[in-house]
Amino acid sequence: MNSWINLDALWKIMVVGLLAGAGLPALFAVGVRALNPPARTGDDLAGRPAAGPLGYVVAGVCFAVVLAAIGWGIAVIVNHS
Amino acid sequence: MTGNDVVLALVVVTALGFDFTNGFHDTGNAMATSIVTGALPPRVAVAVSAVLNLVGAFLSTAVAATIASGLVNSGDVTLTVVMAGLVGSILWNLTTWYLGIPSSSSHALIGGVVGATIAAAGADAVKWQGLVAKVIVPAALSPFIAGSVAALGTVLVYRLTRGVADRPRQHGFRIGQVGSACMVSLAHGTNDAQKTMGVITLALIANGTLQSGASAPTWVITACALAIALGTYIGGWRVIRALGKGLVEIEAPQGMAAESASAAVILSSTDFGYSLSTTHVATGSILGTGVGKKGAVVRWHIAHRMVAAWLITLPASAVVGALAYWVANGIGGTIGVAVIFVVLVAASVAFFVASRRPAVTPENVNAAWTGSVVPTTPRDEVAS
C-alpha cells in the first residue's frame, strides 16, 4: 500500500496546508477587521469608527506574522535546491 | 556527427517551445483570481507573474531529471523519443489552451514521453508503479486537498470580517491577494521551469554532450527561465478567463483564500517530496472558495469538463507522442525528426490563427461569463 500512496507526505501536506493556507488568510482577516472596526448600530455610513491604538497593534502583529510566513515560504523554496 | 547535432538542436528548440506553452498555459493558476477581482490590471498581473517565474527558475538550481527517472527506463530514452514526447505534450497543451481548459502541463509532458517510450520500446519500458504512485494518485488527491484548505480559509475569512464594510474589505484583501498570487508564481517558476531543464539535460546526456549525472549548464537554466517567463507574459487569456470567470464568480477575499491555499499546498508538497500539479491544486482551490462561500456561483458543469480533460491528458498526449514517434522512426534519422518538427510548427501556427478569431485579450478577459470562453459581447463590463 505504502509504495502506491505516500501517506506520510500526504498528512504533512494536509497539516501544513491547513495551517498556512487557511490559517494565514484568517490571520490576515483578523488584521483587516482590527483596522476597520464594524459600525455600531446608529452610526451613519460617513461616521464609521476609526481603529484605536489596540486595533493598530493587533493589525500590525497579524500582518507581521503573515509576512514572516511568506519569508519562510521563500526560504523553503531556496533551501530546497 | 552533424546529423545528431541537428536532431539535438531541434529537441532543444522544441523543449523550449514546450516551456513557453507551459508558461502561458499556467499564468491563470497564479493570476486568474487577481485579474478578475481587479486586484491587478491584466497586463501588470502577467508581467509580475513573468518576472517571478524568471526569478523562481533561477532560485532553485537542483535539476532532477524528474520526467524520465522513476517513470520510464532511461536506457530506452533516445533523442527521437524525447522529441516525439515533446511533440505530443505541446499539441495537447495547445488543444486544451484553445478550449480554455486548465490542464496539467506536467501531465502532458509525462504522457508524451511515456507514449513515445511505449512506441519505441514497448509497455515494459514504463515503470507503471512509479507512474501511479508519483503521478496518478497525487493528481487524484491534490484538488481535494487544495479545495478543502481553500474552503476552510474562505469560511474563516468571511466569518472573521463579517462586520467590516465592503470597501475596506475589498481593498485589504486585494493587497493580500496580490501577495499570495506572487507566491504561487514564484513556486511555479521553481517547479515547472525545472522540468524543461531536466528534459534538455536528459537530451544532452543522451547525445553524449554531457556526462551522465551532470547538472544543467547555465545556458540551459537561462534559456528555460526566459522561455517560461516569456510564455507567462504572453498570458493564456483563455485559461485565465475560464478559471477566473467561468468556474466561480470570485471576490477578493475568496481570491486570497484560493491563492494562499494553492501556495501553501504547492510549497509544502515540494518540501515533502510529493510533487503535485500546480494546475490541479489551483483549480481545486478556486472550486474550494466557491464551496466555502455561501451563495457563491459554482459552475459545476465547467468543473466536470476540466476534470474530464485531466483524465484524458495522460492518455491523449501519450497517443500523440506515440504517433509522433512512429512517424519520426518510420521515416528515420534526422529527416524523420525534422518532419515531426515541421508538423508541430504548422499545427502551432494553425492553433494560433484559430485563437485570433475571436481572440481573448487583456481587454475582454473580464467580460461577463456567457457560457463560453470567448466573450460574446466584447468590451462589455470592461470599464468597471
Side-chain angles (χ1 to χ4, degrees):
Chain A
M1 186 66 188
N2 240 10
S3 54
W4 293 92
I5 182 166
N6 188 345
L7 287 173
D8 189 46
L10 269 179
W11 77 260
K12 284 181 187 161
I13 294 170
M14 200 67 204
V15 170
V16 176
L18 283 173
L19 284 177
L24 290 175
L27 209 57
F28 189 88
V30 172
V32 169
R33 188 196 165 103
L35 282 183
N36 305 283
R40 284 176 295 268
T41 43
D43 285 347
D44 57 356
L45 266 172
R48 288 195 158 272
L54 182 66
Y56 280 105
V57 171
V58 171
V61 170
C62 287
F63 294 145
V65 172
V66 171
L67 282 176
I70 292 173
W72 170 77
I74 294 173
V76 166
I77 301 176
V78 176
N79 289 333
H80 190 72
S81 56
Chain B
M1 277 296 288
T2 45
N4 251 355
D5 286 345
V6 171
V7 173
L8 183 64
L10 287 178
V11 169
V12 170
V13 169
T14 312
L16 291 175
F18 169 78
D19 208 18
F20 180 81
T21 65
N22 195 165
F24 77 71
H25 211 289
D26 291 1
T27 317
N29 294 343
M31 286 300 171
T33 62
S34 301
I35 290 172
V36 295
T37 62
L40 286 171
R43 285 181 201 280
V44 175
V46 293
V48 167
S49 184
V51 169
L52 288 166
N53 266 284
L54 187 73
V55 173
F58 281 107
L59 264 187
S60 175
T61 50
V63 176
T66 31
I67 298 308
S69 73
L71 300 180
V72 294
N73 284 332
S74 40
D76 293 316
V77 177
T78 63
L79 279 184
T80 313
V81 167
V82 174
M83 181 70 185
L86 285 168
V87 169
S89 44
I90 293 178
L91 287 179
W92 182 250
N93 256 359
L94 289 175
T95 308
T96 49
W97 159 72
Y98 181 73
L99 297 172
I101 296 172
S103 68
S104 165
S105 297
S106 2
H107 274 204
L109 183 57
I110 290 165
V113 171
V114 166
T117 307
I118 292 175
D124 291 344
V126 178
K127 296 175 182 165
W128 294 104
Q129 186 175 347
L131 193 65
V132 171
K134 287 188 181 176
V135 180
I136 294 172
V137 170
L141 293 175
S142 49
F144 295 102
I145 297 174
S148 47
V149 171
L152 180 68
T154 307
V155 169
L156 287 174
V157 159
Y158 275 97
R159 182 156 300 175
L160 286 166
T161 59
R162 191 151 38 187
V164 178
D166 246 9
R167 194 182 299 197
R169 183 165 76 173
Q170 291 287 348
H171 179 72
F173 279 105
R174 279 180 186 173
I175 296 173
Q177 208 187 351
V178 173
S180 52
C182 286
M183 289 299 285
V184 177
S185 293
L186 197 66
H188 186 260
T190 59
N191 273 322
D192 283 34
Q194 283 210 23
K195 288 169 193 153
T196 311
M197 293 178 204
V199 169
I200 296 180
T201 308
L202 193 73
L204 291 171
I205 293 171
N207 192 47
T209 314
L210 286 181
Q211 304 238 311
S212 151
S215 56
T218 313
W219 68 266
V220 173
I221 298 174
T222 311
C224 289
L226 287 173
I228 203 165
L230 192 65
T232 307
Y233 181 68
I234 296 298
W237 299 107
R238 288 169 176 268
V239 179
I240 291 173
R241 185 170 153 72
L243 265 179
K245 293 296 285 186
L247 199 52
V248 179
E249 295 287 344
I250 291 174
E251 293 180 352
Q254 287 171 290
M256 188 196 174
E259 297 303 332
S260 303
S262 298
V265 171
I266 294 167
L267 287 178
S268 60
S269 72
T270 307
D271 201 43
F272 296 128
Y274 200 66
S275 65
L276 304 177
S277 163
T278 320
T279 305
H280 296 160
V281 169
T283 311
S285 294
I286 291 176
L287 268 180
T289 61
V291 174
K293 182 184 175 244
K294 259 185 217 152
V297 183
V298 182
R299 298 195 183 87
W300 288 106
H301 64 280
I302 293 183
H304 290 159
R305 211 166 79 112
M306 290 174 179
V307 171
W310 295 351
L311 290 177
I312 59 173
T313 290
L314 274 174
S317 47
V319 167
V320 183
L323 282 176
Y325 179 82
W326 281 318
V327 170
N329 201 47
I331 298 172
T334 310
I335 299 175
V337 173
V339 165
I340 57 172
F341 180 75
V342 170
V343 169
L344 174 68
V345 171
S348 307
V349 170
F351 269 114
F352 178 75
V353 170
S355 77
R356 300 310 295 172
R357 35 187 168 150
V360 181
T361 63
E363 284 73 33
N364 66 11
V365 68
N366 280 345
W369 185 260
T370 50
S372 76
V373 171
V374 180
T376 44
T377 49
R379 296 174 190 287
D380 188 19
E381 277 198 9
V382 179
S384 61

